[in-house]
Amino acid sequence: MSTHSRQALVMIRTNLSSLPRRFAISASMILSVALVVCVLAGFLSMARGFETALTAAGSPSVAVILGGGTNQEMGSDVPAAVIRTLDAMTGDLGALRDAGGKLILSREIVVPVDVKQVADGTARTLGLHGMDAAGPSIREGISLSARRVFAPGAREIAVGDRLASEFGLRVGDMVRLGAVDWTVVGHFSARGSASESEIWADLDAVRAAFDRQGQIQSLKLRLVDPTTLERLQDKIATITGTPLVALSEADLYAAQSGRTASLIRLFGWPLALLMAVGATAGALNTMMSSVADRTVEIATVRALGFSRLSAFLGTWVEAMVLAGAGALLGLFASWLIFNGWQASTIGANNARMAFQLAVTPDVLLTSGLLGVAIGLLGGALPAIAATRLPLTAALRARG
Amino acid sequence: MTETATPYIALSGIRKGYRIGGEPISIFSGLDLAIPHGDFVAVMGPSGSGKSTLLNMLAGIDRPDGGTLRIGTSRLDQMGEAARSAWRAHNMGIVFQFYNLLPMLTAAENVELPLLLKPLTRKERRIRVDRVLDLVGLAGREKQYPAMMSGGQQQRIGIARAIVSDPGLLLCDEPTGDLDRKSADEVLEMLRFLNRHLEKTIVMVTHDPQAALYARRTLHLDKGDFVEEKRAA
């Protein structure tokens, strides 16, 4: 070990050993860093959880065809003529066909409906998805957790598990959606994705109940494999009369989640950065007080011949250790508080979408790095100040 | 005030001043001093006479504005801050008035500090630390912290730290200023021992006439110049 390393290690050790002398101000620095880390981790975990819920809901093997020049279900309109043209198309469309050679597709519509919560009786807007009988089977990662899905033509609904538990919708319950009552006939699981915030019913029953006869917002088809989407896009490009878009379900949800997640981060980062500026000022104050507290010690070892670098490193490392402790505390607290926290927001189609906050490794890393950055910046100036202490302080001061 | 033999410490035409509140204050304007190798010099004088400034310059902590300052073969007045720092580490030990031990280090670790600046192994450092602790009469107290020791013991640790790297020069700034008479005499006896038996050159700033009696000669400083010299009988 070089003499420089030994000097630096001694300075670091003496600084850290003297921390109990500055317990209160050191603890305040740790807490302020922890708070910043916790706030940023909260926002990032919210964005990550939202993204996870939506991206998990979309499959690259399911294609969604939208009409009317939009790439969202809301506002999309697929004319019946398009479906007839698609049905009439022979050859390889890139989508699966049944044993009879008929295209397996589901015509779909989404209607926002108000449902009362059991807990407080307040109404929340949810998405009622009307679909053909093939709809549930076209979707990936769906499993029935209770009973069955809706019967064709019946006023029956299947409810996502998350929604069922939040709204207390049990199998056999009657729920008023719009002007008519619907019977809950089953629950489905979608591995915690955004689909668990949906209500499914038969397309014709939904259109009849909400006076949407003939309306179709989207078509869902199961692709042969994800790479055949391009073939389907080429085929629908030949259909004239209305602008059509074919995209994978994964891309559809990713586009939706991207906007909202960006919005969450747009609020989270500035707030966390503003708090970080405050915490950096606090760190600066703490470390200046540390340097003042150790003036005689620093000047003494410098008078003995220790280098300026060792004085700098001793103070800087102390700042980083305190900031690191704050970051760890903040990360632990955010993991305890936020990970798995149920949240909800207005998702696609103005319907409420529930999701879980996810304190993932990248959230931990980003938030933790911000905490350490506070120590790096807040400790740098005091560390420089430590190197500039007048050595005469050592000769005359009471240690 | 010069010595005829080749001096170990030689100050010639030293000028030094400060600005206080914008006003220039001259401390030295042409100070000369020669100290031969192996001497033990006490520097006395009233407050403001320049004792601390002199000591700071000898320690390489401060630099003269003009004149030459040579210790051994090194011209301290021509060295930069880093070079003086390295020079201090290898050529001098400092004994402080308030001991200046690091409270969170043990006695042995405090004594070891100057050795960390040298390319020595852990075992070599330990041997040297044990030897000087034995020399100052504190063998067996290696693991004690400064707070567990009396003032006299702490100052002896300070002396051990000053001599552990075997420097030729010891600078002592009021080494007995914070001690009772008995402890002060013990410390001064030790300094005299180091001077007489280990041939350390010692420059000691003190206000205490009793302490000055342990030196080979005493220089009185007043208004930036030496006004009187007394030699021990």
Side-chain angles (χ1 to χ4, degrees), chain B residues 157-190:
Chain B
I157 293 293
I159 292 171
R161 181 178 65 187
I163 61 172
V164 72
S165 56
D166 198 22
L169 174 62
L170 279 188
L171 296 179
C172 307
D173 184 23
E174 298 275 11
T176 57
D178 202 41
L179 299 176
D180 58 48
R181 187 74 260 161
K182 182 171 177 289
S183 301
D185 286 340
E186 286 172 5
V187 165
L188 290 163
E189 278 295 348
M190 183 152 298

Side-chain angles (χ1 to χ4, degrees), chain A residues 110-130:
Chain A
V110 186
V111 180
V113 291
D114 287 341
V115 181
K116 280 189 178 172
Q117 273 185 308
V118 173
D120 55 10
T122 55
R124 296 288 175 99
T125 304
L126 302 174
L128 172 63
H129 290 245

Side-chain angles (χ1 to χ4, degrees), chain B residues 1-2 9-17 26-34 54 57 63-70 75 77 224-226:
Chain B
M1 192 144 303
T2 56
I9 299 172
L11 283 73
S12 175
I14 291 292
R15 284 181 290 107
K16 182 68 185 174
S26 175
I27 307 294
F28 298 124
S29 52
L31 182 76
D32 297 324
L33 174 65
L54 175 65
M57 287 194 295
R63 209 158 67 156
D65 297 333
T68 59
L69 196 172
R70 182 180 56 74
R75 283 283 299 274
D77 57 294
D225 210 353
F226 292 110

Side-chain angles (χ1 to χ4, degrees), chain B residues 86-127:
Chain B
W87 184 88
R88 262 198 314 274
H90 292 94
N91 296 282
M92 123 182 355
I94 305 176
V95 180
F96 301 92
Q97 178 178 359
F98 299 113
Y99 333 129
N100 289 40
L101 303 177
L102 273 58
M104 65 293 300
L105 299 186
T106 63
E109 287 168 337
N110 267 291
V111 173
E112 190 188 15
L113 284 173
L115 298 180
L116 298 176
L117 305 168
K118 294 178 179 291
L120 298 172
T121 64
R122 183 189 292 260
K123 188 178 175 186
E124 287 168 333
R125 295 199 300 271
R126 186 170 175 179
I127 290 170

Side-chain angles (χ1 to χ4, degrees), chain A residues 4 14 26 87 89 97 100 126 166 191 196 219 250-252 255 279 307 322 339-340 369 377 381:
Chain A
H4 286 295
T14 53
S26 301
D87 266 340
M89 281 182 171
R97 294 176 182 277
L126 302 174
E166 197 175 341
R191 295 178 299 198
E196 284 191 14
L219 298 176
D251 289 343
L252 175 70
S307 65
L322 290 176
N339 200 35
L369 283 178
L377 294 175
L381 269 181

Side-chain angles (χ1 to χ4, degrees), chain A residues 25-392:
Chain A
I25 196 160
S26 301
S28 77
M29 177 176 163
I30 290 174
L31 284 178
S32 60
V33 172
L35 195 63
V36 172
V37 168
C38 210
V39 166
L40 183 63
F43 274 102
L44 293 182
S45 63
M46 192 183 293
R48 176 63 66 218
F50 185 78
E51 277 176 338
T52 305
L54 271 177
T55 50
S59 162
S61 299
V62 175
V64 182
I65 296 175
L66 303 168
T70 178
N71 59 357
Q72 291 185 59
E73 285 167 291
M74 186 61 78
S76 163
D77 179 48
V78 182
V82 169
I83 300 162
R84 284 196 296 275
T85 308
L86 267 176
D87 266 340
M89 281 182 171
T90 54
D92 184 7
L93 290 185
L96 292 179
R97 294 176 182 277
D98 63 15
K102 195 171 164 48
L103 212 52
I104 303 172
L105 64 78
S106 170
R107 298 166 301 158
E108 307 211 347
I109 184 174
V110 186
V111 180
V113 291
D114 287 341
V115 181
K116 280 189 178 172
Q117 273 185 308
V118 173
D120 55 10
T122 55
R124 296 288 175 99
T125 304
L126 302 174
L128 172 63
H129 290 245
M131 61 185 73
D132 283 327
S137 59
I138 285 175
R139 287 166 163 78
E140 262 193 0
I142 303 292
S143 58
L144 272 179
S145 50
R147 298 291 177 87
R148 61 181 175 84
V149 291
F150 51 86
R155 284 177 182 163
E156 294 176 344
I157 55 173
V159 181
D161 278 345
R162 188 171 290 172
L163 214 58
S165 68
E166 197 175 341
F167 286 78
L169 300 173
R170 290 166 301 185
V171 173
D173 284 355
M174 296 289 284
V175 184
R176 194 162 190 84
L177 302 176
V180 295
D181 290 330
W182 301 74
T183 307
V184 179
V185 294
H187 294 158
F188 60 86
S189 157
R191 295 178 299 198
S193 75
S195 298
E196 284 191 14
S197 296
E198 294 175 354
I199 303 172
W200 294 347
D202 175 69
L203 173 67
D204 291 328
V206 172
R207 291 196 296 196
F210 292 90
D211 199 19
R212 304 275 180 101
Q213 279 83 359
Q215 188 180 3
I216 295 162
Q217 287 178 324
S218 64
L219 298 176
K220 283 200 174 169
L221 303 93
R222 175 64 78 87
L223 294 166
V224 176
D225 66 66
T227 61
T228 58
L229 175 65
E230 217 169 298
R231 207 174 306 149
L232 178 66
Q233 287 169 330
D234 291 342
K235 288 287 183 185
I236 67 159
T238 64
I239 300 174
T240 54
T242 187
L244 294 172
V245 176
L247 67 169
S248 74
E249 199 182 43
D251 289 343
L252 175 70
Y253 285 132
Q256 289 173 3
S257 70
R259 282 189 295 272
T260 308
S262 297
L263 197 65
I264 294 170
R265 290 193 180 101
L266 201 66
F267 280 106
W269 268 109
L271 183 65
L273 287 178
L274 271 177
M275 290 181 68
V277 170
T280 304
L284 196 89
N285 189 35
T286 302
M287 296 317 299
M288 279 297 189
S289 125
S290 162
V291 171
D293 181 54
R294 293 179 295 105
T295 295
V296 175
E297 291 159 23
I298 294 169
T300 298
V301 293
R302 292 267 297 113
L304 294 179
F306 275 50
S307 65
R308 283 179 188 272
L309 180 66
S310 65
F312 179 87
L313 286 177
T315 305
W316 211 30
V317 169
E318 180 188 340
M320 282 191 283
V321 165
L322 290 176
L328 282 176
L329 181 67
L331 293 176
F332 182 65
S334 57
W335 184 79
L336 271 185
I337 297 167
F338 299 127
N339 200 35
W341 183 322
Q342 289 282 348
S344 65
T345 185
I346 300 300
N349 312 310
N350 290 331
R352 187 164 178 273
M353 193 198 100
F355 62 96
Q356 278 188 336
L357 271 66
V359 183
T360 52
D362 64 315
V363 168
L364 292 173
L365 185 68
T366 309
S367 312
L369 283 178
L370 179 67
V372 173
I374 291 170
L376 279 174
L377 294 175
L381 269 181
I384 292 170
T387 67
R388 293 183 174 171
L389 281 175
L391 302 192
T392 48

Side-chain angles (χ1 to χ4, degrees), chain B residues 129-151:
Chain B
V129 169
D130 288 347
R131 193 188 302 154
V132 292
L133 280 175
D134 189 37
L135 190 68
V136 299
L138 290 175
R141 305 255 183 163
E142 293 85 354
K143 291 185 178 170
Q144 285 194 357
Y145 286 88
M148 301 158 71
M149 296 177 163
S150 68

